[in-house]
Amino acid sequence: MGLRAISLVLAVAVLAAAGLLAAAAPAGAARPPTPEPNGAVELSPRPCALEGRDPYERDYNAAEGWQAPDYERYPGACRRLRFSYGPIVVKPGQNDVLADPIKIEKPLQDGYITRFRPDLVRADGSVPPIEQVHLHHAAWVAVPEYGSGGSGAFEAAGEEKTILQMPKGFGLPTKATDAWLLIYMVHSAIQQPMEVYITYDVDFVPKADGDRLGLRDAYPLWWDVRSDYYPVFNVQRDFAGADGTCTWPREQCAAEDPFGKKIVGQGQPGNGRGADWRFPERGQPLGRIPSFTGGTIIAAGGHLHPGGLQNTIDLVRPGNTIRVRKGKGKRRRWVRKRKEVARIYTGEAHYWDRKDPTRGGGPPTSWDFSMKVSGLPKWGVRVEPGDIVRNNAVYDARIQSTYENMGIVVAAVVPDDPEGNPRAPGVDPFTTPLDTSPNCKSGGLKAKRGGKRLCDRGKVTHGHLAENDNFGAAGGAWSARSGAPASRVGIADFLYAPGDLSTIEMTGVPAVKLGSELAFTNFDGFQIPHTVTSCKFPCLGQTGGAFPISNGESSKGRQLDFDSGELGFGTPQIGPAKQTLDWTLPVTPEAGFEPGEIVTYFCRVHPGMRGAFEVQR
């Protein structure tokens, strides 16, 4: 969710804020998310400890210095509270962004948030398979805002379900009088209605306990590659670089954006830089920081969609110079050198191996990944007033084209004291050597030899999730005959007519004349969006989290990529709908089509839907 989108919702939300209720579900991932009293009263606390046997969560906690075997955080002071929002009645095929702000539950005491874990569950507390329904994205917004400088968002989540965990000794200060809002998009890929809840486990330390422990304030920062109402972009294979990737918005990555418009890097050249966000000038406010004099970024974690490889964050300080040693022997001397840009964070998507999900190395074609997060004790970056944060998102463009991508980074900054003295450990990114090793081999801030290093790569917060087990798979033999001529395809009741793969053995494959246009109309579009997206022939096989994908290839082995966008009507600007029911595909020699080839396509919102046509003279 982009800054403008959240600001738009906040304008309505501030007027609506009143009467917050507190509720939580019993501990345990498989228990129903039903309400119970929580942060408003004193209860027997649920410990803020490791739950389950995830080795990556265990290692993450161990690296912060929490004690085995429970890795309990702030024993006796921290309370883990489970909140839920719902029930959300998901209509068949739903892919809507919530248009109205929803005020949600939160701790009703002053205190510190030290951990935030989101999820999407059924009414019985179980997690549905991702190929059926998933949390496309969600943003938690505070009124008044904590940080970010205008948006109010302090936590983001998608189906990768990154866990926000403040480094040891720090917390997000929250007040009883704050209001929290939720903006979310739940995506259903099936034809049956269902009931789900968004849950969020909050580790909370009451203010008196936090002050006794010496917790220091850390405030959220929100960086988005596209500051827009629905901040998405496309990456197509035709725009891949030599390494098979494309970086947006620095480079042009597609012929148009998801709404059919031509913008920077989408039908137009990239801007050669990225998306810039600026810290306020000295003495100006930043969220609840009344006077910003500089600070230390102590944590950063990214959000990508399938196909995403990296969030990259550079720090830019215009006019900056550093002192370096030049020459050898007696001629060695200090000189001034201009260095305005420094890499501070490379947030990698860690795709899990299909055969051994305890290891990385899987293909970037599904939500089965975890994001690498950087933070103390090994990583911290000093920033100054007026510094620019430059954000780019790197996506694979070799395996498939991807549509409606996102590139968001949520970070936390600890402000300096009024005199500009740091309140958290960190390094100057312009003078500190960079360690790009995957596991911060040098030790980063804790390096024992050769001085401190800036490690731009972090650690995943959790391992493979069971809801991602079903990847689907290509399979089945093509046996359909040629069918009647066609120039128009209707989409209704989750079928393409003519040409749906579930019916072509009876009706044949519709024939489209070379040099003509094939028109599509989504008659479901006032309720349910659909797309027409090329997939590899024959596009047969079990639907799953990674099949089919938008790897268009005709029956002759020719690569072709096309995508209609989400045909349908919805809330303008804030959602994915293209605000039209119609789309036309030119089946022409100029577009590369050849006589005799069969072209298959699918709906990337509801991938069980498949269609085909045959090109004829």
Side-chain angles (χ1 to χ4, degrees), residues 530-576:
H530 295 300
T531 79
V532 181
T533 307
S534 56
C535 54
K536 184 176 181 179
F537 176 87
C539 207
L540 297 171
Q542 181 191 18
T543 300
F547 185 83
I549 58 175
S550 46
N551 57 345
E553 185 177 298
S554 76
S555 60
K556 292 188 174 183
R558 179 178 68 89
Q559 177 181 311
L560 75 163
D561 289 310
F562 58 79
D563 179 76
S564 64
E566 293 198 31
L567 302 178
F569 290 97
T571 305
Q573 298 180 309
I574 200 172

Side-chain angles (χ1 to χ4, degrees), residues 198-235:
I198 294 173
T199 62
Y200 45 109
D201 284 5
V202 175
D203 283 11
F204 178 76
V205 178
K207 188 176 188 313
D209 291 326
D211 292 346
R212 175 178 54 81
L213 292 168
L215 291 186
R216 284 162 282 176
D217 296 348
Y219 297 91
L221 303 171
W222 180 284
W223 304 322
D224 198 328
V225 291
R226 184 175 186 181
S227 181
D228 209 340
Y229 296 117
Y230 183 55
V232 292
F233 57 94
N234 295 335
V235 176

Side-chain angles (χ1 to χ4, degrees), residues 95 99 178 392 583:
N95 197 37
D178 297 340
N392 278 283
W583 180 72

Side-chain angles (χ1 to χ4, degrees), residues 30-213:
R31 296 187 184 180
T34 50
E36 70 174 7
N38 51 55
V41 297
E42 289 297 328
L43 299 174
S44 298
R46 177 175 161 219
C48 299
L50 180 67
E51 297 179 326
R53 300 179 180 179
D54 188 319
Y56 291 91
E57 281 194 68
R58 180 197 62 211
D59 292 348
Y60 195 93
N61 283 279
E64 283 202 326
W66 304 105
Q67 296 300 307
D70 296 328
Y71 301 99
E72 184 175 355
R73 301 163 59 81
Y74 311 111
C78 185
R79 297 145 170 81
R80 181 160 295 168
L81 310 172
R82 176 160 295 170
F83 298 97
S84 65
Y85 170 70
I88 301 169
V89 179
V90 184
K91 65 179 184 285
Q94 176 172 311
N95 197 37
D96 301 333
V97 174
L98 179 73
D100 296 321
I102 295 297
K103 194 171 184 182
I104 58 171
E105 300 150 355
K106 58 172 285 294
L108 292 183
Q109 303 178 44
D110 291 0
Y112 299 88
I113 296 169
T114 61
R115 182 179 181 269
F116 194 104
R117 181 184 182 278
D119 211 341
L120 183 76
V121 302
R122 299 185 182 101
D124 64 359
S126 62
V127 180
I130 194 170
E131 72 274 11
Q132 294 182 15
V133 64
H134 66 263
L135 184 62
H136 188 278
H137 64 266
W140 282 260
V141 177
V143 181
E145 65 177 342
Y146 294 127
S148 287
S151 74
F154 67 91
E155 166 63 343
E159 198 53 38
E160 78 280 18
K161 299 175 183 175
T162 300
I163 301 171
L164 181 151
Q165 190 155 300
M166 286 290 184
K168 189 176 184 179
F170 299 88
L172 168 61
T174 181
K175 294 183 177 297
T177 54
D178 297 340
W180 285 6
L181 311 172
L182 178 65
I183 306 167
Y184 65 89
M185 179 176 180
V186 174
H187 174 189
S188 168
I190 60 176
Q191 301 179 33
Q192 294 78 36
M194 66 182 70
E195 179 181 291
V196 297
Y197 293 76
I198 294 173
T199 62
Y200 45 109
D201 284 5
V202 175
D203 283 11
F204 178 76
V205 178
K207 188 176 188 313
D209 291 326
D211 292 346
R212 175 178 54 81
L213 292 168

Side-chain angles (χ1 to χ4, degrees), residues 24 264 334 342 391 614:
V264 171
W334 288 101
N391 187 8
E614 183 177 0

Side-chain angles (χ1 to χ4, degrees), residues 243-507:
D243 61 355
T245 71
C246 196
T247 301
W248 192 82
R250 192 180 74 203
E251 301 171 335
Q252 182 175 351
C253 292
E256 60 185 23
D257 80 353
F259 308 101
K261 298 178 181 178
K262 295 185 184 300
I263 62 171
V264 171
Q266 307 275 281
Q268 298 177 6
N271 63 19
R273 317 182 299 277
D276 287 356
W277 180 94
R278 186 185 292 270
F279 281 97
E281 298 299 327
R282 185 175 302 276
Q284 296 299 307
L286 174 61
R288 296 192 187 179
I289 304 171
S291 177
F292 186 70
T293 58
T296 306
I297 305 173
I298 61 166
H303 167 62
L304 298 165
H305 284 192
L309 301 177
Q310 295 178 347
N311 299 103
T312 64
I313 297 292
D314 296 321
L315 193 69
V316 183
R317 188 171 293 162
N320 186 57
T321 59
I322 59 175
R323 296 181 70 219
V324 296
R325 297 294 292 268
K326 188 176 182 180
K328 296 182 179 180
K330 294 182 179 180
R331 296 185 177 181
R332 190 175 176 89
R333 66 191 189 280
W334 288 101
V335 298
R336 304 294 297 183
K337 178 182 177 182
R338 185 176 294 274
K339 185 177 182 181
E340 296 184 334
V341 181
R343 172 62 50 85
I344 63 171
Y345 172 67
T346 303
E348 297 176 310
H350 190 80
Y351 289 86
W352 301 105
D353 184 86
R354 299 284 177 86
K355 295 181 179 179
D356 182 1
T358 66
R359 303 175 57 184
T365 55
S366 75
W367 280 107
D368 190 29
F369 65 88
S370 301
M371 292 300 302
K372 287 191 174 181
V373 173
S374 293
L376 293 175
K378 291 185 177 181
W379 182 91
V381 176
R382 296 279 302 128
V383 294
E384 295 182 359
D387 280 352
I388 295 170
V389 172
R390 182 160 292 164
N391 187 8
N392 278 283
V394 184
Y395 273 74
D396 168 75
R398 178 181 288 123
I399 299 174
Q400 63 171 331
S401 295
T402 51
Y403 304 94
E404 291 186 57
N405 301 314
M406 286 187 173
I408 298 171
V409 173
V410 180
V413 64
V414 177
D416 293 346
D417 68 19
E419 287 72 40
N421 300 309
R423 287 172 166 152
V427 298
D428 181 344
F430 298 99
T431 59
T432 304
L434 188 65
D435 177 358
T436 62
S437 63
N439 298 306
C440 190
K441 187 178 296 184
S442 67
L445 293 180
K446 299 175 72 67
K448 295 181 179 179
R449 294 182 180 180
K452 296 178 180 179
R453 295 290 189 271
L454 174 56
C455 294
D456 65 325
R457 288 166 165 81
K459 296 172 67 71
V460 297
T461 60
H462 64 79
H464 163 81
L465 300 174
E467 53 264 37
N468 294 315
D469 283 346
N470 179 20
F471 299 104
W478 186 267
S479 61
R481 57 180 174 80
S482 298
S487 60
R488 180 172 294 276
V489 174
I491 309 172
D493 197 25
F494 295 88
L495 295 172
Y496 299 105
D500 198 89
L501 296 195
S502 66
T503 63
I504 57 170
E505 288 198 0
M506 296 180 292
T507 63

